[in-house]
Amino acid sequence: MTKLNAILQARIGNHGPISIADYMAECLLHPELGYYSRRDPFGAKGDFTTAPEISQMFGELLGLWLAQSWIDAGQPPSFVLAEIGPGRGTLMADVWRATKGVPGFHDAAKPYLIEASAHLRSVQKATLGGVNANWVGTIDELPDAPLFLLANEFFDALPIRQYKRQKSGWSELLIGGNADGLCFGQAAPSPNTSLDHRLDDTNEGDLVEVCSAMQGVMETVNDRIKTNGGVALVVDYGDWRSLGSTLQAIKSHAFVDVLTNSGEADLTAHVDFEALANAAPDLNYSRLTPQGIFLQRLGIDHRAEVLGNQLSGAALESHKAAHHRLTAADEMGTLFKVMAFYAPNSPLPPGFQQ
Ligand code: SAH
């Protein structure tokens, strides 16, 4: 049992069960014992490896995607270049390096990192030494300007609630306690009009997930891009409509028990991209596109070849493996999806098809 697990057991013993969202929020961002508050979980020695940590090509291509989107928007002379949930800061560092040669882009860009964890902010500051970047805790604190936003593996880290469909209404799944520790339980069914849109595609006994923190973020993206212009690119694992439990805990690159590793394992849920689109009703959105296809349309195969020509031996092998990992269907290529949100009256951003 972890220290945070003991604290949550005592709290639940005194005050009753909590929602899965409250449990996730404590596990991920508890100020002293939360997963992201204490550690740098990324990379081979950590718990999971994200695309920007696999290869510089990911950030380079996303940087050029942003630059092209900025050119297509008429090159606004001052804009916010933001990343939400930036981890180690590697993606932003690669974006910044890759866009150095785009005339006017760096002069116009105000880089912002939106990060909740004080510990990861300090890691990002070290990574981004040469970039004149700013940090905020929430997306609402960004200055009012055209917004060009990246979110890679951010939305999966936001707390979700789960509801099971019953004969009459929906039962929320809750986390309570018993003699053995924390356990899942179910609240009594009650009507829930916010789930009316799921009545057509679900049956009694089906489970759906709802991410209200996502809705708050996407409403801000919606308002900013609608008013000032810009684009947002979301990359994450998930699908068009969530059905069934996707809550998972990962530690040292393996799945572990959700309820016993509180604060010691990464807790995530798959992203429901339809819910993202519904939360940004004033924006256009692209087709949900597999990451592998998107990166290939942006030219990853050519870039991989150019970089590969400068390498040999083990470095070349690991470069080839990274290319495969980002794009192959049996690796991240299909599980991870990409979707762009953009201002009405703007062209479809590069890498997507109508
Ligand atoms: N994008 C990075 C890291 C993904 S991990 C990469 O691809 O490597 C999730 C990141 O989101 C971490 O930086 C975590 O601290 C941050 N985060 C989690 N919840 C957040 C919240 N509510 N607001 C802002 N950042 C958050």
Side-chain angles (χ1 to χ4, degrees), residues 307-328:
L307 286 174
N309 287 341
Q310 304 159 23
L311 301 169
S312 61
L316 179 59
E317 288 317 307
S318 93
H319 168 67
K320 283 183 180 164
H323 178 206
H324 182 78
R325 197 158 163 204
L326 288 177
T327 53

Side-chain angles (χ1 to χ4, degrees), residues 89-324:
T90 309
L91 175 57
M92 184 58 100
D94 290 335
V95 163
W96 196 251
R97 198 187 61 255
T99 51
K100 197 170 59 202
V102 179
F105 189 79
H106 279 195
D107 289 340
K110 290 190 176 59
Y112 273 83
L113 287 303
I114 307 161
E115 175 57 70
S117 152
H119 171 66
L120 285 177
R121 271 188 199 203
S122 66
V123 175
Q124 292 152 19
K125 283 191 175 142
T127 310
L128 291 164
V131 184
N132 189 14
N134 306 277
W135 274 263
V136 291
T138 66
I139 192 167
D140 298 311
E141 294 164 63
L142 290 177
D144 231 8
L147 174 63
F148 290 73
L149 175 76
L150 294 177
N152 182 59
E153 287 207 45
F154 166 72
F155 285 104
D156 67 72
L158 296 184
I160 51 130
R161 287 175 179 249
Q162 295 186 333
Y163 297 89
K164 195 174 229 176
R165 184 163 171 190
Q166 309 286 12
K167 231 186 222 69
S168 58
W170 299 84
S171 287
E172 178 167 7
L173 267 69
L174 299 173
I175 294 176
N178 62 21
D180 298 327
L182 297 179
C183 61
F184 284 104
Q186 232 169 270
S190 61
N192 188 333
T193 49
S194 72
L195 290 172
D196 280 355
H197 66 292
R198 298 306 304 262
L199 291 173
D200 289 343
D201 74 302
T202 56
N203 297 309
E204 198 182 323
D206 281 346
L207 186 147
V208 299
E209 294 179 335
V210 175
C211 183
S212 59
M214 172 282 287
Q215 281 160 5
V217 172
M218 283 308 291
E219 279 161 21
T220 304
V221 171
N222 181 77
D223 296 348
R224 296 294 177 110
I225 294 182
K226 178 188 167 197
T227 311
N228 300 318
V231 288
L233 188 75
V234 177
V235 186
D236 224 312
Y237 43 89
D239 224 319
W240 183 247
R241 183 176 292 180
S242 105
L243 184 63
S245 175
T246 68
L247 182 64
Q248 63 184 39
I250 291 207
K251 190 168 158 54
S252 304
H253 300 267
F255 292 110
V256 295
D257 183 58
V258 168
L259 294 181
T260 47
N261 294 282
S262 325
E264 299 287 336
D266 188 30
L267 272 185
T268 69
H270 283 209
V271 173
D272 182 344
F273 284 89
E274 181 186 42
L276 257 69
N278 288 341
D282 300 318
L283 302 185
N284 288 339
Y285 56 86
S286 71
R287 274 200 208 185
L288 187 59
T289 302
Q291 170 175 299
I293 291 178
F294 179 72
L295 293 176
Q296 270 155 349
R297 288 189 186 143
L298 297 186
I300 194 169
D301 294 343
H302 177 68
R303 180 71 182 132
E305 207 181 310
V306 170
L307 286 174
N309 287 341
Q310 304 159 23
L311 301 169
S312 61
L316 179 59
E317 288 317 307
S318 93
H319 168 67
K320 283 183 180 164
H323 178 206
H324 182 78

Side-chain angles (χ1 to χ4, degrees), residues 10-26:
R11 187 186 302 169
I12 288 168
N14 287 329
H15 301 289
I18 59 173
S19 68
I20 293 174
D22 288 342
Y23 178 70
M24 284 182 82
E26 292 288 353

